[in-house]
């Protein structure tokens, strides 16, 4: 049966629209390289592991990305390897490569997304922003909404808890901690705790033992590979007297991705016990 003119026109319009949507879908499927473990995790959390064509090795990879080519190790980007993969988008954590290599990437005109959230709400926004870059905005909205709701639940749970002061030790020799603009400082606030060095602007400032003694934290937390035993000699510290030296219960706390929410819940439980 021949189609009437109106129906034929409608079919042509529908076909044209379908072709346009298909073209947009194909155009919005970039080849992505991640230059930090947290960014590789976010790609997986956004159900976009299929877009990842290369990874900078700087920790344990998500299992679904084990077969992806390496483009170097932390602070040692192999630029030729990266270029050979013809990326359309590079996801970058500022400290994952050197300043000179970042300038090289910028000079080559490869689109970069620089991820450096200073608090957990910014991290939630980052899920949306990366997803838009991938052409998968709805996935970003869903992930961001789940993360934001989880944060709200934790904030409500610990809002009325007794405040506790915390020294977060990143490394022991020399002694490094976290400043107030680092996202883990915000994680402590969610748990009803306060970073005793929150007034420092650097993300990972070096401090002295004397400075820690002066601020006398109630709890000392050790991050990945931090050694806490040497603090036992300082019996004047509240944290030592009250035996409140704790390892961070989940190293995922130091990788800003969706999985950080679960690590944060474990941290809040530890700090609640410390009270």
């Amino acid at each position: 049966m021949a189609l009437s003119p109106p129906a034929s026109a409608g079919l042509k319009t529908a076909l044209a629209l379908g072709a346009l949507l298909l073209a947009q879908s194909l155009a919005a499927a970039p080849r992505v390289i991640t230059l930090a473990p947290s960014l590789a995790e976010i790609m997986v959390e956004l159900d976009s592991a299929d877009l990842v064509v290369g990874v900078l090795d700087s920790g344990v990879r998500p299992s679904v990305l084990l077969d992806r080519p390496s483009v170097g190790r932390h602070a040692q980007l192999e630029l030729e390897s990266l270029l050979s993969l013809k990326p359309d988008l590079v996801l970058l954590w500022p400290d994952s490569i050197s300043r000179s290599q970042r300038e090289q990437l910028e000079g080559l005109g490869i689109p970069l997304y620089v991820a450096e959230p200073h608090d957990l709400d910014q991290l939630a926004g980052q899920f949306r922003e990366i997803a838009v870059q991938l052409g998968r905005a709805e996935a970003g909205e869903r992930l961001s909404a789940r993360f934001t709701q989880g944060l709200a639940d934790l904030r409500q749970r610990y809002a009325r808890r007794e405040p506790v002061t915390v020294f977060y030790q990143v490394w022991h020799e020399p002694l490094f901690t976290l400043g107030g603009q680092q996202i883990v400082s915000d994680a402590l606030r969610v748990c009803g705790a306060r970073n005793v060095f929150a007034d420092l602007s650097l993300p990972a400032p070096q401090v002295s033992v004397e400075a820690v003694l002066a601020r006398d934290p109630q709890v000392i937390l050790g991050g990945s590979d931090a050694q806490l035993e040497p603090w036992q000699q300082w019996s004047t510290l509240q944290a030592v007297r009250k035996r409140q030296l704790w390892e961070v219960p989940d190293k995922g706390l130091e990788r800003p991705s969706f999985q950080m929410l679960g690590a944060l819940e474990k941290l809040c439980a530890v700090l609640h016990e410390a009270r």
Side-chain angles (χ1 to χ4, degrees), residues 80-119:
E80 290 185 3
S81 298
L82 183 146
L83 293 175
S84 71
L85 296 171
K86 298 180 172 56
D88 301 304
L89 176 65
V90 174
L91 304 182
L92 169 69
W93 183 268
D95 293 335
S96 60
I97 62 175
S98 67
R99 180 185 296 272
S100 62
Q101 287 190 318
R102 177 174 172 177
E103 291 173 351
Q104 281 182 297
L105 284 175
E106 292 170 342
L108 291 168
I110 300 172
L112 297 179
Y113 177 89
V114 181
E116 192 179 19
H118 296 293
D119 60 46

